[in-house]
PDB file of all heavy atoms in Angstrom:
ATOM      1  N   ALA V 182     -51.334  65.940  82.727  1.00 98.00           N
ATOM      2  CA  ALA V 182     -51.043  67.178  83.471  1.00 98.00           C
ATOM      3  C   ALA V 182     -51.377  66.981  84.945  1.00 98.00           C
ATOM      4  O   ALA V 182     -52.306  66.317  85.330  1.00 98.00           O
ATOM      5  CB  ALA V 182     -51.974  68.249  82.922  1.00 98.00           C
ATOM      6  N   ASN V 183     -50.547  67.595  85.772  1.00 98.00           N
ATOM      7  CA  ASN V 183     -50.739  67.675  87.202  1.00 98.00           C
ATOM      8  C   ASN V 183     -50.830  66.344  87.954  1.00 98.00           C
ATOM      9  O   ASN V 183     -51.345  66.291  89.072  1.00 98.00           O
ATOM     10  CB  ASN V 183     -52.106  68.417  87.401  1.00 98.00           C
ATOM     11  CG  ASN V 183     -52.103  69.156  88.758  1.00 98.00           C
ATOM     12  OD1 ASN V 183     -51.014  69.523  89.278  1.00 98.00           O
ATOM     13  ND2 ASN V 183     -53.245  69.254  89.352  1.00 98.00           N
ATOM     14  N   SER V 184     -50.261  65.333  87.334  1.00 98.00           N
ATOM     15  CA  SER V 184     -50.211  64.003  88.048  1.00 98.00           C
ATOM     16  C   SER V 184     -49.058  63.995  89.000  1.00 98.00           C
ATOM     17  O   SER V 184     -48.063  64.772  88.848  1.00 98.00           O
ATOM     18  CB  SER V 184     -50.050  62.848  87.032  1.00 98.00           C
ATOM     19  OG  SER V 184     -51.172  62.772  86.224  1.00 98.00           O
ATOM     20  N   THR V 185     -49.090  63.103  89.986  1.00 98.00           N
ATOM     21  CA  THR V 185     -47.992  62.915  90.935  1.00 98.00           C
ATOM     22  C   THR V 185     -47.493  61.432  90.821  1.00 98.00           C
ATOM     23  O   THR V 185     -48.367  60.550  90.842  1.00 98.00           O
ATOM     24  CB  THR V 185     -48.451  63.186  92.347  1.00 98.00           C
ATOM     25  OG1 THR V 185     -48.914  64.515  92.448  1.00 98.00           O
ATOM     26  CG2 THR V 185     -47.301  62.995  93.373  1.00 98.00           C
ATOM     27  N   ILE V 186     -46.287  61.245  90.703  1.00 98.00           N
ATOM     28  CA  ILE V 186     -45.705  59.836  90.629  1.00 98.00           C
ATOM     29  C   ILE V 186     -44.878  59.629  91.953  1.00 98.00           C
ATOM     30  O   ILE V 186     -43.955  60.371  92.249  1.00 98.00           O
ATOM     31  CB  ILE V 186     -44.814  59.714  89.386  1.00 98.00           C
ATOM     32  CG1 ILE V 186     -45.401  60.367  88.083  1.00 98.00           C
ATOM     33  CG2 ILE V 186     -44.431  58.205  89.169  1.00 98.00           C
ATOM     34  CD1 ILE V 186     -46.742  59.821  87.616  1.00 98.00           C
ATOM     35  N   LEU V 187     -45.221  58.554  92.667  1.00 98.00           N
ATOM     36  CA  LEU V 187     -44.549  58.307  93.874  1.00 98.00           C
ATOM     37  C   LEU V 187     -43.171  57.682  93.625  1.00 98.00           C
ATOM     38  O   LEU V 187     -42.842  57.197  92.571  1.00 98.00           O
ATOM     39  CB  LEU V 187     -45.433  57.373  94.774  1.00 98.00           C
ATOM     40  CG  LEU V 187     -46.694  58.063  95.221  1.00 98.00           C
ATOM     41  CD1 LEU V 187     -47.464  57.074  96.145  1.00 98.00           C
ATOM     42  CD2 LEU V 187     -46.460  59.378  96.037  1.00 98.00           C
ATOM     43  N   PRO V 188     -42.286  57.766  94.759  1.00 97.00           N
ATOM     44  CA  PRO V 188     -40.902  57.351  94.525  1.00 97.00           C
ATOM     45  C   PRO V 188     -40.671  55.937  93.957  1.00 97.00           C
ATOM     46  O   PRO V 188     -41.432  54.996  94.350  1.00 97.00           O
ATOM     47  CB  PRO V 188     -40.271  57.424  95.980  1.00 97.00           C
ATOM     48  CG  PRO V 188     -41.172  58.428  96.669  1.00 97.00           C
ATOM     49  CD  PRO V 188     -42.556  58.228  96.066  1.00 97.00           C
ATOM     50  N   GLY V 189     -39.750  55.809  93.058  1.00 97.00           N
ATOM     51  CA  GLY V 189     -39.297  54.523  92.559  1.00 97.00           C
ATOM     52  C   GLY V 189     -40.260  53.897  91.644  1.00 97.00           C
ATOM     53  O   GLY V 189     -40.042  52.746  91.170  1.00 97.00           O
ATOM     54  N   LYS V 190     -41.355  54.528  91.246  1.00 98.00           N
ATOM     55  CA  LYS V 190     -42.340  53.842  90.348  1.00 98.00           C
ATOM     56  C   LYS V 190     -41.906  53.893  88.928  1.00 98.00           C
ATOM     57  O   LYS V 190     -41.162  54.744  88.513  1.00 98.00           O
ATOM     58  CB  LYS V 190     -43.717  54.505  90.441  1.00 98.00           C
ATOM     59  CG  LYS V 190     -44.359  54.438  91.865  1.00 98.00           C
ATOM     60  CD  LYS V 190     -44.365  53.037  92.437  1.00 98.00           C
ATOM     61  CE  LYS V 190     -44.652  53.084  93.910  1.00 98.00           C
ATOM     62  NZ  LYS V 190     -44.093  51.922  94.610  1.00 98.00           N
ATOM     63  N   THR V 191     -42.291  52.803  88.196  1.00 98.00           N
ATOM     64  CA  THR V 191     -41.928  52.743  86.782  1.00 98.00           C
ATOM     65  C   THR V 191     -43.172  52.778  85.952  1.00 98.00           C
ATOM     66  O   THR V 191     -44.126  52.074  86.172  1.00 98.00           O
ATOM     67  CB  THR V 191     -41.189  51.353  86.548  1.00 98.00           C
ATOM     68  OG1 THR V 191     -39.961  51.424  87.306  1.00 98.00           O
ATOM     69  CG2 THR V 191     -40.889  51.168  85.057  1.00 98.00           C
ATOM     70  N   ILE V 192     -43.075  53.566  84.889  1.00 98.00           N
ATOM     71  CA  ILE V 192     -44.147  53.538  83.872  1.00 98.00           C
ATOM     72  C   ILE V 192     -43.518  52.842  82.709  1.00 98.00           C
ATOM     73  O   ILE V 192     -42.541  53.307  82.116  1.00 98.00           O
ATOM     74  CB  ILE V 192     -44.553  55.011  83.480  1.00 98.00           C
ATOM     75  CG1 ILE V 192     -45.226  55.584  84.755  1.00 98.00           C
ATOM     76  CG2 ILE V 192     -45.475  55.009  82.261  1.00 98.00           C
ATOM     77  CD1 ILE V 192     -45.284  57.011  84.864  1.00 98.00           C
ATOM     78  N   HIS V 193     -44.039  51.636  82.447  1.00 98.00           N
ATOM     79  CA  HIS V 193     -43.370  50.785  81.433  1.00 98.00           C
ATOM     80  C   HIS V 193     -43.688  51.280  80.048  1.00 98.00           C
ATOM     81  O   HIS V 193     -44.523  52.235  79.846  1.00 98.00           O
ATOM     82  CB  HIS V 193     -43.829  49.296  81.621  1.00 98.00           C
ATOM     83  CG  HIS V 193     -43.239  48.700  82.835  1.00 98.00           C
ATOM     84  ND1 HIS V 193     -41.824  48.363  82.937  1.00 98.00           N
ATOM     85  CD2 HIS V 193     -43.706  48.449  84.099  1.00 98.00           C
ATOM     86  CE1 HIS V 193     -41.650  47.865  84.132  1.00 98.00           C
ATOM     87  NE2 HIS V 193     -42.719  47.920  84.866  1.00 98.00           N
ATOM     88  N   GLU V 194     -43.044  50.664  79.039  1.00 98.00           N
ATOM     89  CA  GLU V 194     -43.062  51.193  77.673  1.00 98.00           C
ATOM     90  C   GLU V 194     -44.504  51.606  77.185  1.00 98.00           C
ATOM     91  O   GLU V 194     -45.362  50.750  77.265  1.00 98.00           O
ATOM     92  CB  GLU V 194     -42.454  50.164  76.729  1.00 98.00           C
ATOM     93  CG  GLU V 194     -41.541  50.729  75.797  1.00 98.00           C
ATOM     94  CD  GLU V 194     -40.751  49.747  74.919  1.00 98.00           C
ATOM     95  OE1 GLU V 194     -39.845  49.121  75.532  1.00 98.00           O
ATOM     96  OE2 GLU V 194     -40.999  49.667  73.740  1.00 98.00           O
ATOM     97  N   GLU V 195     -44.641  52.815  76.806  1.00 98.00           N
ATOM     98  CA  GLU V 195     -45.879  53.313  76.200  1.00 98.00           C
ATOM     99  C   GLU V 195     -47.036  53.306  77.204  1.00 98.00           C
ATOM    100  O   GLU V 195     -48.201  53.424  76.806  1.00 98.00           O
ATOM    101  CB  GLU V 195     -46.262  52.586  74.909  1.00 98.00           C
ATOM    102  CG  GLU V 195     -45.107  52.681  73.911  1.00 98.00           C
ATOM    103  CD  GLU V 195     -45.595  53.100  72.502  1.00 98.00           C
ATOM    104  OE1 GLU V 195     -46.339  54.053  72.414  1.00 98.00           O
ATOM    105  OE2 GLU V 195     -45.180  52.407  71.547  1.00 98.00           O
ATOM    106  N   GLY V 196     -46.725  53.108  78.490  1.00 98.00           N
ATOM    107  CA  GLY V 196     -47.780  53.280  79.474  1.00 98.00           C
ATOM    108  C   GLY V 196     -48.186  54.762  79.606  1.00 98.00           C
ATOM    109  O   GLY V 196     -47.341  55.677  79.199  1.00 98.00           O
ATOM    110  N   ALA V 197     -49.435  54.987  79.995  1.00 98.00           N
ATOM    111  CA  ALA V 197     -49.919  56.426  80.063  1.00 98.00           C
ATOM    112  C   ALA V 197     -50.657  56.656  81.311  1.00 98.00           C
ATOM    113  O   ALA V 197     -51.304  55.740  81.906  1.00 98.00           O
ATOM    114  CB  ALA V 197     -50.804  56.668  78.845  1.00 98.00           C
TER     115      ALA V 197
END
Side-chain angles (χ1 to χ4, degrees):
N183 204 31
S184 294
T185 299
I186 317 298
L187 292 182
K190 299 306 165 207
T191 296
I192 293 157
H193 290 285
E194 224 172 290
E195 304 228 45

